[in-house]
Amino acid sequence: MKFGFWLPIFGGWLRNIENENMPPMFDYAKEVIQSAEKWGFDTTLIAELYLNDIKGPEADSLEAWSTAAALAAVTDKIEIMTAIRPGFHNPAVTAKMAANIDRISNGRFTLNVVSAWWEEEAKQYNGVFTEHDERYDRTKEFIEVLKGMWQEETFSYDGKYYQIKDAKLSPKPVQQPHPVLYAGGESLKGKEVISSVMDAYVMHGGTVQEAEKKISDMADRKKQTGNDLFQSFGMAAYVICRDTEKEAIEELARITDVKDVSGYAGFKDFISKSQLEQEIQLKDYSVSNRGLRPNLIGTPEQIADRILEYEAAGLNLLLLQFSPQLEEMKRFSEDVIPLVEKKRKQAFV
């Protein structure tokens, strides 16, 4: 199991808690990622939203790609996975930018391709926002352009959404055949596109049974498409680690006390513009990306046991959220990660 975390670019992950002591500033993000490298984390995911989905559209947030480039220059080992939404970007320019950041990081830059769901944000930032399945058709062409630009000496493309004529990109990315492409989606159309052109599948938080079902389904789809590069499965999760189960449950109650706050501004678009497999309630939405469903809540022992259940189900990457970020990441690295490794070894004795 690889351990990753969401970079805190929104000021936190909790829609019901106003101040999480996680300022959306580059200096804080830099401190978090450099500490994470020391503590044994493998990956960070930088979300791409131009409006703050957690603390409200008027709140401060960091821009993903400029933050990623800056962090690539001040880190040494950690994978920097940055979200990209095709409706907001030119794919040829994106390919050039990604190759450059990949060079800066010496092969540590990866992409999380998101077909987008927030219509209001698209209106404000002049993004292309169409019906659900058409967004995935655009995404597929976007990825084909990325791969062509990265791999071919001279690249042309004549698609429905993108037209490229005799384009050259140099230098190419360090990673071969190309930077890793992650994506998530729960609709039939989304799974069809992801299994055919992506390298890894990332899920919103779910139970062990839900994750196992999705992994099995996507593995079957991968075989049907012949996409040999597709091999990784990740999932978002929010961690509440405490010395006792009682303390963890008390913290869960505190953060899910739903209030009428601006952090829920995107809720309607999220549930109506996406095709989700599970019905989402406001309580689930209290923490971003359905992070409470995996139930990584309790003592270090309980959390380690649950992580090993996910590992047995086929999951090989956890993208974790914490609040406050630094303090809780440190606790997880000291109390949970070693315990997972110890329990794994004991299971094979």
Side-chain angles (χ1 to χ4, degrees):
M1 181 74 74
K2 292 171 61 178
F3 294 104
F5 65 96
W6 293 68
L7 194 75
I9 64 171
F10 300 120
W13 307 112
L14 307 176
R15 290 184 168 91
N16 300 316
I17 307 301
E18 185 174 348
N19 183 6
E20 298 179 57
N21 296 311
M22 296 158 59
M25 300 173 63
F26 177 74
D27 286 346
Y28 183 73
K30 176 182 174 182
E31 183 181 5
V32 167
I33 196 170
Q34 289 180 332
S35 298
E37 277 198 324
K38 298 175 185 176
W39 296 335
F41 286 88
D42 303 289
T43 302
T44 189
L45 170 55
I46 309 177
E48 183 189 59
L49 285 172
Y50 300 128
L51 299 178
N52 193 323
D53 174 46
I54 307 298
K55 300 303 181 182
E58 301 81 11
D60 292 349
S61 61
L62 297 179
E63 191 280 322
W65 279 63
S66 53
T67 300
L71 293 176
V74 296
T75 52
D76 300 309
K77 299 179 294 183
I78 199 163
E79 177 187 65
I80 299 173
M81 182 199 308
T82 304
I84 180 79
R85 287 150 333 141
F88 291 87
H89 296 271
N90 176 315
V93 175
T94 298
K96 181 69 174 179
M97 293 168 59
N100 196 51
I101 301 176
D102 190 61
R103 288 266 166 178
I104 293 170
S105 68
N106 194 29
R108 294 182 288 116
F109 186 66
T110 61
L111 280 72
N112 177 34
V113 185
V114 182
S115 292
W117 54 266
W118 199 352
E119 186 173 12
E120 174 59 29
E121 182 205 25
K123 291 176 182 177
Q124 292 191 27
Y125 277 83
N126 197 34
V128 176
F129 195 91
T130 56
E131 291 301 315
H132 179 275
D133 284 7
E134 187 177 350
R135 296 202 297 273
Y136 276 102
D137 290 334
R138 177 182 291 275
T139 293
K140 189 171 188 293
E141 285 198 11
F142 192 91
I143 295 304
E144 289 169 351
V145 173
L146 288 184
K147 290 181 178 180
M149 294 289 293
W150 286 332
Q151 294 176 281
E152 297 184 23
E153 194 64 33
T154 303
F155 178 69
S156 296
Y157 190 86
D158 186 17
K160 178 180 178 181
Y161 304 101
Y162 306 110
Q163 295 77 44
I164 308 294
K165 180 65 175 177
D166 296 334
K168 297 181 181 294
L169 190 155
S170 184
K172 302 294 187 187
V174 172
Q175 296 177 76
Q176 294 297 321
H178 53 72
V180 178
L181 298 169
Y182 295 82
E186 299 183 1
S187 67
L188 291 177
K189 182 69 173 182
K191 291 176 180 179
E192 173 190 312
V193 171
I194 292 166
S195 60
S196 64
V197 299
M198 304 298 182
D199 307 316
Y201 184 53
V202 289
M203 300 169 273
H204 288 295
T207 65
V208 173
Q209 293 74 24
E210 289 166 354
E212 187 172 31
K213 182 178 178 180
K214 289 180 182 180
I215 289 168
S216 176
D217 175 62
M218 290 300 286
D220 289 342
R221 291 175 184 274
K222 165 205 159 180
K223 292 176 184 177
Q224 294 170 14
T225 63
N227 180 7
D228 293 335
L229 294 178
F230 191 102
Q231 56 186 346
S232 182
F233 297 95
M235 185 185 70
Y238 183 83
V239 177
I240 302 177
C241 183
R242 296 293 185 269
D243 293 335
T244 67
E245 184 178 11
K246 179 176 181 292
E247 290 174 296
I249 292 173
E250 288 173 351
E251 172 66 2
L252 175 63
R254 182 183 77 90
I255 68 174
T256 55
D257 180 15
V258 176
K259 303 176 179 67
D260 183 18
V261 294
S262 57
Y264 290 89
F267 178 67
K268 184 176 179 180
D269 272 3
F270 179 70
I271 60 174
S272 65
K273 306 300 181 183
S274 306
Q275 294 182 13
L276 305 175
E277 291 179 321
Q278 281 85 35
E279 183 179 352
I280 304 302
Q281 305 297 329
L282 274 178
K283 184 175 179 179
D284 294 315
Y285 202 66
S286 295
V287 172
S288 74
N289 301 95
R290 274 178 268 167
L292 296 176
R293 288 185 70 84
N295 195 30
L296 299 188
I297 298 165
T299 65
E301 187 92 15
Q302 290 172 318
I303 293 171
D305 287 340
R306 182 57 54 86
I307 289 171
L308 289 172
E309 290 179 21
Y310 279 104
E311 188 171 85
L315 199 71
N316 48 30
L317 171 64
L318 279 168
L319 294 165
L320 301 171
Q321 297 170 340
F322 305 88
S323 180
Q325 189 90 12
L326 274 171
E327 295 85 341
E328 293 304 317
M329 282 178 64
K330 188 172 190 293
R331 186 203 301 257
F332 186 87
S333 71
E334 293 175 344
D335 296 348
V336 179
I337 293 178
L339 196 53
V340 171
E341 294 172 351
K342 178 181 177 181
K343 286 175 173 288
R344 186 187 295 117
K345 290 178 181 177
Q346 290 174 341
F348 286 99
V349 172

